Amino acid sequence: MLKTGSEIFVECLLKENVKILFGIPGGAVLPIFDKIYEAREKIRFVLTRHEQGAGHMADGYARSTGDVGVCIATSGPGATNLTTALATAYMDSIPVVAFTGQVATHLIGNDAFQEADTTGITRPVTKHNFLVKDVKELARTIREAFYIAKTGRPGPVLVDIPVDVQRAICEFSYPEEIEIRSYKPVYTGHIGQIKKAAELINSSKQPLLYVGGGIISSNASPELLKLAEKIHTPVTTTLLAIGSFPPEHPLNLSMPGMHGNYAANLAFQNCDLIIAIGARFDDRVTGKLSAFAPKAKGGIIHIDIDPTSISKNVSVDIPAVGDAKNVIIELLKHLKKKNNKEWLKKIADWQKTNPFSYKKDNKLRPQYVIDKISEITKGEAIVVTEVGQNQMWAAQFYKAKYPRHFLSSGGLGTMGYGFPAAIGAKIANPQKTVIDIAGDGSIQMNIQELATAVLNNVNVKIVILNNAHLGMVRQWQELFYKRRYSAVCLTKPNGCLPEDASAKRPALMVPDFVKLAESYGAVGLRITKKEEVENTLVKALKIDKVVMMDFIVEEEENVLPMVPAGKALDEIITSLA
Amino acid sequence: MKHTISVLVENKPGVLARIATLFAARGYNIDSLAVGETDDPTTSRMTIVVRGDEKILEQVEKQLNKLVDVIKLNDFMNVDHIERDLVLIKVKADKNTRNEILQIVDIFRAKIIDVSANAVIVEMTGDEDKIQALVNMLKPFGVKEMARTGIIAMARGG
Ligand SMILES: Cc1ncc(C[n+]2csc(CCOP(=O)(O)OP(=O)(O)O)c2C)c(N)n1
């Protein structure tokens, strides 16, 4: 049947089972939006207030479901606004398909109104991208975009569609089978390597499982549990893998790295074998590379779907390229049941000396707020974080019970990610409690999406850990720049500590988050005392509206432990004198 | 270490930029890069010559392989292969020097493809060393301009 490019666009989305689309219209996508209007019964369109918000919403949707998240923007400024969200999804391997309008083909390269070289700009931050110059290519391209986004190592894919292509007409057919000769992800690991890995595991004395986001994208949590229990091996989960292993399990060593668990970091430095699965040895995890895992020489196994991850940062002894789930299933067949009692005893001692902790006094401390969230929700809520101290405290104290229930921008570290991603996650999971844990700095980076949340009845809860500072940067300045607080105070210039007592807050606070929430039609609550925390949270979770909670916390609280940048994992600071 | 990498890619717009970006993003300098269509018009072959640290190179090759437009990649590092580069050199030449230049060109089995009152253009194909040797010989006469295609390469045998 003959169809226009815009009709083909909608048909393809329906074929891909897309139910929700986030974005903002504009001149270069008007034909498509006209068809989106027609399809409004089948595809829900969520109008955001910023394209970055749309991108992060698609990301939050994808992370919380495992399905592809989809967003759309107009040419030029719409497209450039999307780039931060694409880069965020790219760094964390999240399947997102982004569509952008482009100026008419005959104008491309002419500096036309609202023209940007979108494929050029997004090339380094997408898994792949396309410029569709002929309507006959459109259906196939969209099919390929979804296929590439969700297969292999997932990632964002962008499709740029000139406005005349949206209007052009051609015969529509959707390719059912797809074959890209140059793109052949490998899913099963090499059996020889798996056997070698098994031998090494069987003979190891102090093994450590180190799992990353790949375990979540391959939905391999049940297999991970079986593996860990069979070989009686502690599991450390990176920021992106939080929730992939039961938090209260005796083998759970929680997060490693810069603000990671003391025992997890010491386990790296003392283990004789690392079994890395879907993790990429990020510098925030390894600390000083030359001093990383000195006793695991000859003992690094790396299971990853992406061959480029292997031996990128540390040299790997046994690689197994494949999907984590498949490889673990195969690996299990060759493993003997093990007992690493002595090793686990050592680790338990480290755990005991330095668990994640904070001062339990009468002050309103941010960690306490997260402790309470964890307790009240039983770790069953979807927690999304912003970036900074709030993110690290959430990672340390929120005990996410399930995979896809802790969403955070790990690789890029994007402030402003959390709130829109939370909206995306809530839209995907309307029955679940979704909480954005935010800093007062980060929340202001995409706060305009309050309108999107309120108008669409997307009942998310925002917990602002308001420390009047760009807290994480302040912490670095405190520790490494002699407390010279340069450009980190969020109140009026020099309005923060030590000159101004925290008692003066919230008079100085800009914005007044309670009033701001109210102006958007949300509920705003301010909490200044420790005793109010629990009640407020319980109350807020019951309100069927967007609730923004402004917790006025200690201004100079620090995230500990900390491995200073460039130091080895065992040079970890556990307390400040 | 010098590597000659041959990359078979989809013959589509943007592919060259994608590959160049990959090198640029890693701060990697390309010695030479030559591209042309193959016998199959849907594919192009790029020959890329790079120098550098083995570890970084291994990573670059893996990253290249990962690109959706890359069909196949060969590193000729330890492979018996032939390399060719085409050079055009414009050399100052007058009545007095022309004969001498002709002799050099002859020895190198290069060709003179243009002559004017005060210059000649020399064309030669060969591997890098040979081209360098010719250039060294012609330099004293005054090289006014030079253009090279960059290396293209092919493995020997079937
Ligand atoms: C878009 C962006 N800009 C700058 C940074 C650098 N940065 C990292 S953490 C941080 C401070 C975050 O402050 P806030 O959101 O108030 O959270 P807190 O650390 O106080 O919990 C900054 C500025 C970043 N990660 N992202």
Side-chain angles (χ1 to χ4, degrees), chain A residues 387-390 413 415 439-442 445 467 469-473 490:
Chain A
V387 166
Q389 294 183 312
N390 61 84
M415 288 172 72
D440 45 331
S442 298
M445 286 208 180
N467 54 14
H469 287 88
L470 297 169
M472 187 56 98
V473 183
L490 291 172

Side-chain angles (χ1 to χ4, degrees), chain A residues 52 84 366 386-393 409 412-417 437-445 464-476 487-488 490 553 555 557 559:
Chain A
Q52 188 190 347
T84 301
E386 300 287 345
V387 166
Q389 294 183 312
N390 61 84
Q391 177 184 34
M392 290 299 114
W393 286 320
S409 166
L412 198 67
T414 312
M415 288 172 72
Y417 167 79
I437 293 181
D440 45 331
S442 298
I443 191 65
Q444 294 188 57
M445 286 208 180
I464 302 174
L465 302 174
N466 188 341
N467 54 14
H469 287 88
L470 297 169
M472 187 56 98
V473 183
R474 186 208 56 73
Q475 173 169 345
W476 283 55
V488 290
L490 291 172
V553 298
E555 290 190 20
E557 191 69 35
V559 182

Side-chain angles (χ1 to χ4, degrees), chain A residues 123-124 127-129 148 153 180-183 306-308 310-313, chain B residues 10 14 17-18 21 40 42-43 55 59 62-63 66-71:
Chain A
R123 191 172 294 129
K127 183 174 173 187
H128 196 61
N129 62 20
I148 292 169
R153 177 180 187 160
I180 307 175
R181 64 177 158 181
S182 46
Y183 176 73
D306 179 3
T308 62
I310 305 223
S311 292
K312 183 163 70 181
N313 300 326
Chain B
E10 297 285 349
R18 209 179 284 285
T21 306
D40 170 0
T42 70
T43 68
K55 249 191 83 80
Q59 185 53 218
K62 281 186 186 168
Q63 295 282 355
K66 190 164 130 179
L67 292 180
V68 171
D69 291 320
V70 170
I71 301 167

